[in-house]
Every structure is written in C-alpha cells, then in structure tokens.
Amino acid sequence: MGDLPLWRLEDLYPSRDSEAFRADLSRADEMATAFEAKWKGKLTEAAKASGDKGLGSAIEEYDALDDLLGRIASFAGLTYFSNTSDPANGKFYGDVQSRLTDLSAHLLFFPLELNRIEDAIIDAAIKADAKTAHYAPWILDLRKDKPFQLDDKLEQLFLEKSMTSAAAFNRLFDETMAELRFEIDGEMLPLERTLNLLQEPEEETRRKAAEALSKTFKDNLRIFTLITNTLAKDKEIGDRWRGFEDIADSRHLSNRVEREVVDALASAVREAYPRLSHRYYAMKAKWLGMEQMNFWDRNAPLPETPKALIPWAEAKETVLSAYGAFSPDMAAIARRFFDEQWIDAPARPGKAPGAFAHPTVPSAHPYVLVNYLGKPRDVMTLAHELGHGVHQVLAGGQGALMCQTPLTLAETASVFGEMLTFRALLDKTKDKRERKAMLAQKVEDMINTVVRQIAFYEFERKVHTARKEGELTADQIGELWLSVQNESLGPAIRISEGYETWWTYIPHFIHSPFYVYAYAFGDCLVNSLYAVYQNANEGFQQKYFELLKAGGTKHHSELLKPFGLDATDPSFWSKGLSMIEGLIDELETLDRM
C-alpha cells in the first residue's frame, strides 16, 4: 500500500516532556488565575463599559485562553490515541485532564455570570461595543444554556467530579477496547483488523471473524455492562438536576437543533426501513446466492467487487482530484494534510480504532486519524475525514469560541466530500459489473450512515429510558439491541446467537450519547444539498464555502436558507432519503440488464 504517513504532533509540542509543553501548562495556570481575579463579579459592570474594560475585551481574553487550553488538551489526546496501550501515554493523558479540570475551575464563573446579566444590558452592550458585537453569536448561543444552569458551586462540583465519573469510564472503555484481542486460526488480532475481515469475499473468513468478535465481546460483557449502566445513570443525574425533560434534550441543545426536527428525521428514516435496508438486503442476498444472509454478510463485497488493495498514493490522488473538480481551493486545503503530515494512516496495535478528524485549535491545524487497510471503503473514509478537516480549517477563522460547528452541520463537509469522491469514481467507471459493485457499496455506506445510525439512536433511547427504572443486565441490553437491529435490518438478515453483544464496541454510545443521529442528519442534508449542486448555476461553491466558514456562528436554518433548504419542512428528509432509494432503483435496473 506504499508508505503510510504518521502525523507530526510536533506542530503542537515537541514531546510530552518538552519544555514548551510544561511552559504552556504553567502559563495557562497563571492566565486562568489572573483572568478570574480580573473579571469575576465584574461582568455586569463590563457590559456597561467599552474598550479594554468592556465585555468584548473579557470575551477576547477568554477566547485566547480557550485556544491555549485546547492546544494542550489536543496534544494530550492525540498522543494518547496514537497508542492507548502505552501506560506512559495513559498517565500523561490522565494527568493533563486532571490539571485542566482544576484549571478550568477558575474559568467556570465566566459563562455562568455572563448568563446572569439582564437581556437588556446584553443587547445594549452588543450595540455599543464593537468587540462585544463581534462575539454576539457566541453570547446569544450561550444564553440558550441559561435555563439549564445550576448555581456556581454545583457547576464546579459537576466539573471536578467529571474526572472520576464520566471521564474515568470513558478512559476505561478506550483502554479496554485497545487491549482486546480476537483469535482467528490461532492468530490474535486487534479490533480494527478483525472488523475489516467482515468485508472479505470468503464467507468462511467473515464467519470466523464474527464468531471471534462475539466470543471476545461476551468474555468482556461484564465490564461493558458496568460502563454502560454507570454512564447512563451519570447522564440521568445530570439531566435531572439541570431540568431536561427528554433523555436526548441535552444533546439537542448542544447541537442547537429542535427536538421536533430530530423526531421528524428519526420517524422518516424508520418509515423508510422497508424501502431502503429491507429492500436492498433482499437484493444482496439474491446476488450472493442466499435466501437469507447471516449478520456477518451485511458488508460482504459483491462478486463483482475488485479484489486488489488500493495503494495509499492512489487513494490520495482519487480524493484530491475529486475535491479539485469541485473546487481547486478545497483540494489545496486537503493537500496540506498530506504534504504537512497532518494524517496518521497505519493500523497498528494500541492505536485508536476507527477514524476521526480532530480540529485542535485555530492557532494550530486539524489532524486526521484513519486506519488505512486498502479497501475501497477506506478511500471513502479518507474522503470523509478530509472533508471534516477542510471544514475545520475554514471555520478556524471564527476563533476558538465560535469555530465549533454543531453536530447537525458537522457532518456536512465530510459527507459532501464522500459524495464528490464517489461520483467522480462512478463517472469514470464504464464496466457494468464494476459500476454495480460501486453503487452497491455506496448504498451500503448510506444505509450504514442513515438507517444504522438511527437504529443506534433508537437503541440509546431504549437503554437510557430503561436505566431510569434500575440497573440493566447484559441480557436486557442485548434484547434492546436485537429489537432495533431486527427492525432496521429486515427479514433478509439472519440474526443468530452472538450478535446480541455487538453493542459493546460502539464508541459513540460511551463518548457522546445520542451523537449518532448527526450522521443521518448530515447524510440526508448532503443528499438534498448535492441535488441543489447538480442543478445549480454559478455561485454554489462560494455559498458552500460560506456555510463552512460560518463555524458555530449561525443556526442550521440560516445556513441552509441560501440553498433553498429547510430542515423543519417534513418533506426535507424525504428528499434526502429519496436519493438513496434512487440508487437502489439504479441497481435494480442494472441487475435486469
């Protein structure tokens, strides 16, 4: 596959023991203490002033501190994810998290006190002071949290206790997953390589991989059940104290999306199960010569799928050329990730599984982690994560406080990048059999992104609801898992013994409860957005870049308006889902030819 790149974390700090890192940690301590002494108890007075004594200046200092703390936290996290099996990395990550939590206690007053200022005073400050006006989107966004804030002492307690509650169990999950090994024909494989075998053409290989996964998950079921119960209860306590009505309302608030919009999305996808996943998997079973596929056949390649591994250089050129055909500027940003070593690509023991794009902070640059194994899906994953990276670079101009995009729009650039890459490859493919294999893989990826993620969301809802009545056994969680899997996958998939434990390895359930619907939101949104692009006159690329550059400064309704899209319209989700249905129609047509 060629030379796979390793990322250059030296762009953040030379090493975890470097003088530069220790100096920044000390500087952050001093700045946080000084910031508290300067501004605590004085924000209402600052809101009535301007210039260096005004609220805008206070937020500007807070923004700079947020960037510094983010740089420190990013370096610790990326070092840890590079090799979670290294005890020294684990200690470093834990120590830095603890230090930052203590340090953040000096800053906790700021958003709480700011939200206690009367609306009229805030409005007047935004009108009267240019610096305050610059941060108006962040101020107004912050005030949406106001109804759910606790008093300062309680907020400090929640912050400090997070290290020994949610953060501790998150780390336990990560380190447990990194250490798991799955035995296949006498060889002990890590998670990522074992999951990859589910995409092998030989049915026997897939079966052995599935059985190895099920056995190891079952052997470790007790610890995963404890982690899940503890985190669900921890979330319930926090939600109850803050006054959230629904179990997912805190996620909706952080995403800045209305519950009704998410409910409409989930409902539309559930109603589409028969037209999408049930219909497609029935077709695939026939192509594989089966009446019913086993659960380990779900992502099996079709006989038409090319067998050769895709070298890294080819994957790079594929993605960059697809990006460049849409926008040379977009390709130029993506190319920097390769040229300047912002990507960590090899799969290796101890490395975090899966893939992600970490934004770090605006004063630095994002990093991309993939576990590249040369499969076509790995190329699409690279296109996806580079889309995130381009988005993060463009949004960085908003500064540390306003660059973070809500999850509802955070998947826009990533899924759009995937779609550009897929369409570019499909347009070059003239062979009917190869075209069928490509279309099938794209449909499967979209089903995994939309149907599977909404099924995950429904599973989380069931788990968190049931947990309110008491601790759940592994069998109970497994039953909830199978109920949503049976409903979403349909009758063409045979779910046999062992699959009831496969909820254990999904990291989003642990790290970001209810995050998963963002994937479906993003996929359906991009399907609609791509349809606009296909029919657009000049100017789409500029409007698209403006959407990405906005970061967290605008609501999704405002960002989608220039494209004539409205996520509150019930038909919006149907438009997005119809694109998946259209690809299945095309596959059916190819099958008859």
Side-chain angles (χ1 to χ4, degrees), residues 286-451:
K286 183 184 72 172
W287 296 335
L288 295 178
M290 305 175 179
E291 286 189 21
Q292 193 180 33
M293 291 189 292
N294 290 298
F295 70 84
W296 54 77
D297 298 320
R298 186 171 56 83
N299 289 321
L302 298 187
E304 295 89 343
T305 303
K307 305 293 192 296
L309 296 179
I310 301 167
W312 177 255
E314 184 181 334
K316 170 185 172 180
E317 180 55 32
T318 297
V319 177
L320 290 180
S321 62
Y323 276 29
F326 171 72
S327 163
D329 292 339
M330 188 168 162
I333 296 171
R335 186 176 293 279
R336 294 186 67 192
F337 282 78
F338 297 95
D339 294 346
E340 300 179 36
Q341 291 181 257
W342 299 354
I343 304 176
D344 192 298
R348 58 180 180 270
K351 179 180 173 181
F356 63 73
H358 194 305
T360 70
V361 289
S363 65
H365 58 75
Y367 285 92
V368 161
L369 178 145
V370 293
N371 282 274
Y372 190 79
L373 295 166
K375 297 293 179 69
R377 273 198 175 92
D378 294 332
V379 179
M380 290 298 144
T381 298
L382 180 62
H384 181 103
E385 299 305 338
L386 282 172
H388 277 307
V390 169
H391 194 171
Q392 291 158 359
V393 168
L394 289 171
Q398 298 292 348
L401 293 180
M402 297 191 292
C403 68
Q404 300 295 336
T405 306
L407 291 184
T408 42
L409 289 170
E411 296 297 329
T412 305
S414 55
V415 179
F416 195 81
E418 266 191 272
M419 184 64 79
L420 290 172
T421 305
F422 166 70
R423 288 293 180 182
L425 289 172
L426 190 66
D427 289 344
K428 290 192 295 187
T429 303
K430 305 305 177 187
D431 182 84
K432 190 189 87 170
R433 287 169 58 83
E434 285 189 21
R435 187 177 179 86
K436 176 183 174 182
M438 283 188 65
L439 279 168
Q441 185 168 296
K442 184 59 179 173
V443 167
E444 288 180 23
D445 289 344
M446 295 173 94
I447 287 173
N448 285 338
T449 303
V450 177
V451 170

Side-chain angles (χ1 to χ4, degrees), residues 7 9 12 73-82 356 358 360 367:
W7 52 25
L9 296 186
L12 293 171
S74 297
F75 179 71
L78 294 173
T79 299
Y80 174 65
F81 294 133
S82 298
F356 63 73
H358 194 305
T360 70
Y367 285 92

